[in-house]
């Protein structure tokens, strides 16, 4: 299902033009207009889901298989040295477009980009407490 006011629904379903790298009945893969590096692409499902929580399992599985296929092709064509897959859920995590998408970000030696976090240094007790909060 599409959502009326969603720009990625419109792009995924061809109502707004995009630089499409791949398309099938369930997905469109486009170049990001604000690329982190050369070739930065987005996998968009054609059916609307706000985020990964809402995405049907079958679509989630197919999206990762497609990501593997795309980065294998792009690695060959772009001669990049690495790839980051980034997938943001929620404003706090940096999601700016509320239509599920996976970023495919080619990485090049010395590309000057940083997709990193500052490592914390919790105590063993703190890690145990987090584990208990999640699974006990
Ligand atoms: P996120 O912050 O994970 O929601 O990522 C949204 C991404 O969509 C950003 O990298 C934007 O550069 C990209 N973006 C937003 N609008 C468009 C558009 N019309 N076409 C292509 N990429 C877009
Ligand atoms: Zn949408």
């Amino acid at each position: 299902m599409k959502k009326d006011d969603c720009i990625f629904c419109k792009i995924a379903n061809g109502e707004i033009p995009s630089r499409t790298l791949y398309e099938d009945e369930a997905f469109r893969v486009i170049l990001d207009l604000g690329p982190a590096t050369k070739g930065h692409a987005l996998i968009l499902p054609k059916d609307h889901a706000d985020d990964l929580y809402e995405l049907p399992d079958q679509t989630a599985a197919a999206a990762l298989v497609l990501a593997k296929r795309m980065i294998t092709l792009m690695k060959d064509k772009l001669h990049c040295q690495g790839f980051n897959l980034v997938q943001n859920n929620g404003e706090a995590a940096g999601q700016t477009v509320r239509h599920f998408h996976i970023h495919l970000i080619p990485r090049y030696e010395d590309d000057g980009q940083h997709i990193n976090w500052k490592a914390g240094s919790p105590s063993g007790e703190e890690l145990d407490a987090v584990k208990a909060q999640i699974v006990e």
Side-chain angles (χ1 to χ4, degrees):
M1 291 292 279
K2 283 189 284 169
K3 195 174 164 195
D4 276 349
D5 57 349
C6 175
I7 186 168
F8 278 5
C9 278
K10 291 186 169 69
I11 292 174
N13 291 280
E15 289 165 43
I16 293 178
S18 62
R19 289 177 179 81
T20 295
L21 305 179
Y22 173 82
E23 182 186 6
D24 62 24
E25 60 288 342
F27 295 99
R28 185 185 294 268
V29 184
I30 65 168
L31 284 183
D32 194 301
L33 286 184
T37 63
K38 186 177 85 176
H40 181 166
L42 302 171
I43 294 181
L44 311 179
K46 290 188 173 179
D47 283 339
H48 183 87
D50 277 0
D51 47 35
L52 185 57
Y53 310 114
E54 281 193 358
L55 197 69
D57 286 358
Q58 200 187 336
T59 313
L64 195 58
V65 173
L66 178 55
K68 177 182 171 182
R69 192 143 38 99
M70 289 305 303
I71 69 167
T72 302
L73 170 76
M74 291 165 75
K75 178 171 175 284
D76 188 38
K77 300 284 188 180
L78 294 170
H79 308 293
C80 54
Q81 285 83 48
F83 249 101
N84 291 115
L85 270 62
V86 175
Q87 199 280 304
N88 300 322
N89 298 283
E91 207 174 320
Q95 187 180 13
T96 58
V97 181
R98 293 290 286 159
H99 175 121
F100 171 88
H101 52 280
I102 301 176
H103 295 260
L104 309 176
I105 305 176
R107 299 305 303 274
Y108 307 88
E109 301 292 351
D110 304 320
D111 62 24
Q113 282 293 358
H114 302 281
I115 300 170
N116 274 326
W117 53 87
K118 192 156 86 50
S121 49
S123 66
E125 291 74 19
E126 286 168 324
L127 289 172
D128 288 341
V130 174
K131 180 188 164 195
Q133 189 174 353
I134 298 168
V135 296
E136 286 169 19

